[in-house]
Amino acid sequence: MSGYKSRLMTGICVAAAMMGGASAALAAAGDIYGGGAAVPAPDFRVKADCYALPTALIIKGTPPTFQMLPPFNYVNGAKSQDCSTTHILNDRTAYYISATSGTGILAQYSHDPKKYGFVDQAQTQYFPSVHFALSETPLSATDVGIWDNGGTETQGSSSVVVVPPGGTPLAGQYVNPFEHYGQVVQVPVSVDPIVIAYDSVYKKVLNNDNSISSYKFNIKFTRTDGSGGLHLDPTTYCKIFNGQVTNWNDPALKKLNGNISLADPADPQKASFSVPLQIVGRGDSAGATLIFTRHLAAVCPPLISGNQYADGSSTLPSSLLGPTYNVSNPNYPPVAGETPGKFTLVAGMPGTAQYTAFTATPGGSNPTTIILGRVTYLSPDYTLPGVLVSGDNTYNLNTATLQNRSAKWIVPSAFAAAASFGSIPPPQSDSKGHYVAGNTANGLRTNPQDWVQPSSKTSAIANPLGLQSYPIVGTANWIGYTCYASTKQLQTILGILKYGNTALINTDRTKGILSSIGIAPMPAPWLVASEETFVTNASGVGININSKGKAGPCAASGITGG
């Protein structure tokens, strides 16, 4: 199986050269447009490039950037697919802008492509429409009620107002989405671990001969693949991300490292080892932050005093917020006002990885000795070993091995993420995922909120059970609606969902698109339930995705489909 290294390209040339990006080819009748969460963005882009014509992953920014992911090659006998030569559909493209979960949700509610920002380097063009979102922030019953009945949908510090059915929007408001697009659809498409990431290098020194010496943390339990291995138990990472451990020489870190100092044995100053530990986090409304804060809210209160995490939230606690890093700047020197114990805030996952990485070079305008020790939370495809496949960056960030609820030390992986989700069943299902009307213990298929785990710290995956479970996990959720305007766009939507549910290139748990970067496909019963509910309507529930004018809910007179 080949990986899919990436390269960053900017400019309208992406659109012209790749039949996509933002400008030259927004014309095919079956093209679809969506955006949202950064964690599932690379794997969605690769999946969509295998299903339809390839294009760039757009990363929201001012201006946006464009990430080209070379084609995935899945080798499995008769089920093989080389996506450099083989696509299921060759006459359309699925476009996606990587931003935040909150951005995706607000764009979906408003059907306003401007919520994504510009999608070209010249900053003159937006997507022509909104068809879907990806989000790790789950829609609650309250959110679904706003979709149906109108109200203010808020994500982080941003919001949109949608009017009740039959209402007329005032300036800055939007039509009722249920009335115009049908019921909102929310279904999980992957189980995503969130890793605690750090750079293995903590010091660089410019020597007299102009060579540079780099010193690395002395990790006792280092992994053979070089991807990290720093041991963190819940008490210690709760203290770190509550601002209570602010130096890498903290006794708790040494104890977890087998009572061995984290100083590089070759460091001339190892006897006086001191590296400030600076926490870095998302400054926007992010699903990764919700997964992370939900876990800390579940585990930290009984372990430490002064815990600041009350429940799952897509934003970090205000008491822990520090200054903001502008991703257009070098990541050294540190942001003015940076304070140990407070998060330095960064917009977007690529920028968060960028600031965490030790890329600074001593000498010139920089000091001849630089010491850095930043720690953050990321998707596994932004760190080793997943980044070697995804190519999201070249920082080679390491990840910590975490102690789970069963006191086992767990490396982040697709296998461990799947173990964390365990055997949670889909709503109204038997053991294989087929529809059983009377089995309502896990909710109703007609309730979008019942398809996802809640954002609350009481969620079954906030602190998962199981010997092999990785502690910090959530799901990436597809958010769409039931009635689309174009039959060709409907075909693309249903095709990608079916492709994700049934094609081995996506569901293979060892070498598929998802598992190769450390993310787990949904368990088989969920794939069955999703397919028969939203794609084929084999369940007979009647909420399958369709086009306007078709019999059932999509035949209502107010349906426009977008």
Side-chain angles (χ1 to χ4, degrees):
M1 179 188 69
S2 69
Y4 41 92
K5 291 184 178 179
S6 66
R7 55 195 173 95
L8 291 177
M9 297 179 64
T10 56
I12 295 178
C13 62
V14 173
M18 294 301 301
M19 300 179 63
S23 176
L26 301 183
D31 288 354
I32 59 172
Y33 310 92
V39 171
D43 53 85
F44 174 79
R45 179 69 273 145
V46 173
K47 177 172 68 175
D49 288 350
C50 291
Y51 181 75
L53 293 175
T55 190
L57 173 64
I58 307 172
I59 300 171
K60 184 179 181 181
T62 309
T65 54
F66 302 86
Q67 190 173 25
M68 297 305 306
L69 301 179
F72 194 84
N73 182 24
Y74 178 66
V75 180
N76 188 4
K79 301 295 184 180
S80 298
Q81 183 181 354
D82 182 351
C83 300
S84 66
T85 57
T86 305
H87 310 280
I88 308 305
L89 296 177
N90 293 290
D91 62 348
R92 65 198 68 190
T93 301
Y95 296 89
Y96 188 83
I97 184 164
S98 175
T100 69
S101 292
T103 298
I105 290 171
L106 295 182
Q108 194 73 0
Y109 271 65
S110 64
H111 267 65
D112 183 356
K114 292 182 180 179
K115 300 299 179 186
Y116 296 137
F118 291 110
V119 292
D120 66 327
Q121 180 73 10
Q123 301 183 77
T124 61
Q125 298 192 32
Y126 301 100
F127 280 158
S129 188
V130 176
H131 297 115
F132 68 95
L134 292 174
S135 173
E136 285 120 13
T137 300
L139 298 181
S140 66
T142 300
D143 297 315
V144 174
I146 293 169
W147 176 281
D148 292 348
N149 304 309
T152 301
E153 175 65 19
T154 300
Q155 295 291 324
S157 60
S158 301
S159 62
V160 298
V161 177
V162 295
V163 300
T168 300
L170 300 175
Q173 298 180 347
Y174 298 93
V175 299
N176 180 262
F178 180 84
E179 183 178 38
H180 286 265
Y181 319 118
Q183 179 170 314
V184 66
V185 171
Q186 176 176 234
V187 60
V189 292
S190 62
V191 186
D192 302 352
I194 297 299
V195 302
I196 295 178
Y198 60 97
D199 199 305
S200 62
V201 174
Y202 67 84
K203 182 163 71 172
K204 294 180 182 178
V205 177
L206 180 64
N207 301 311
N208 292 333
D209 61 359
N210 289 322
S211 64
I212 295 175
S213 296
S214 296
Y215 300 96
K216 295 185 176 183
F217 292 113
N218 181 30
I219 306 297
K220 178 180 180 180
F221 305 104
T222 186
R223 303 176 199 138
T224 56
D225 64 359
S227 64
L230 174 73
H231 274 201
L232 294 177
D233 63 10
T235 298
T236 304
Y237 62 73
C238 282
K239 287 183 176 179
I240 289 172
F241 292 104
N242 273 281
Q244 298 175 15
V245 170
T246 59
N247 199 291
W248 285 82
N249 65 9
D250 191 282
L253 293 173
K254 180 179 179 179
K255 182 178 180 180
L256 290 170
N257 198 43
N259 283 318
I260 295 174
S261 170
L262 287 163
D264 190 323
D267 187 348
Q269 281 77 46
K270 62 185 177 183
S272 57
F273 174 70
S274 177
V275 177
L277 191 156
Q278 179 62 51
I279 50 178
V280 180
R282 299 285 292 276
D284 40 16
S285 175
T289 300
L290 185 141
I291 295 170
F292 185 66
T293 58
R294 176 175 61 188
H295 175 71
L296 296 184
V299 302
C300 296
L303 299 177
I304 67 170
S305 60
N307 168 64
Q308 301 297 303
Y309 298 88
D311 211 345
S313 172
S314 62
T315 56
L316 292 165
S318 59
S319 59
L320 293 173
L321 303 185
T324 297
Y325 166 64
N326 185 332
V327 296
S328 64
N329 294 334
N331 68 357
Y332 188 86
V335 174
E338 186 168 85
T339 304
K342 302 286 186 181
F343 281 97
T344 296
L345 304 175
V346 189
M349 191 161 291
T352 305
Q354 175 183 317
Y355 192 72
T356 304
F358 194 153
T359 57
T361 301
S365 61
N366 291 331
T368 55
T369 297
I370 300 176
I371 296 175
L372 291 175
R374 296 166 180 165
V375 180
T376 193
Y377 54 95
L378 293 170
S379 170
D381 53 307
Y382 286 80
T383 64
L384 290 172
V387 75
L388 299 179
V389 180
S390 71
D392 284 322
N393 60 63
T394 57
Y395 305 138
N396 292 329
L397 294 173
N398 282 199
T399 62
T401 299
L402 304 185
Q403 189 181 57
N404 69 9
R405 188 170 176 174
S406 300
K408 301 296 184 181
W409 293 102
I410 305 297
V411 175
S413 67
F415 172 83
S420 302
F421 196 85
S423 57
I424 298 171
Q428 291 181 285
S429 298
D430 63 15
S431 61
K432 294 184 178 180
H434 296 297
Y435 180 63
V436 179
N439 191 359
T440 60
N442 286 283
L444 302 177
R445 292 200 180 187
T446 52
N447 290 344
Q449 67 271 20
D450 292 344
W451 284 87
V452 294
Q453 290 298 302
S455 59
S456 168
K457 62 184 177 182
T458 61
S459 165
I461 58 175
N463 187 23
L465 293 168
L467 293 177
Q468 301 301 318
S469 296
Y470 182 75
I472 312 176
V473 295
T475 59
N477 310 308
W478 170 283
I479 299 176
Y481 46 98
T482 50
C483 304
Y484 285 85
S486 160
T487 55
K488 284 198 171 184
Q489 289 169 341
L490 172 69
Q491 181 188 35
T492 311
I493 297 255
L494 292 177
I496 285 182
L497 287 174
K498 185 176 184 68
Y499 187 63
N501 290 337
T502 62
L504 272 176
I505 190 174
N506 298 301
T507 63
D508 190 316
R509 299 183 182 278
T510 58
K511 58 182 181 180
I513 291 172
L514 290 168
S515 56
S516 66
I517 58 173
I519 292 174
M522 292 302 297
W526 285 83
L527 301 177
V528 170
S530 171
E531 178 75 7
E532 69 175 28
T533 302
F534 301 113
V535 179
T536 66
N537 195 31
S539 66
V541 174
I543 57 170
N544 55 302
I545 300 170
N546 216 321
S547 58
K548 71 173 183 176
K550 296 295 183 181
C554 294
S557 59
I559 294 293
T560 62

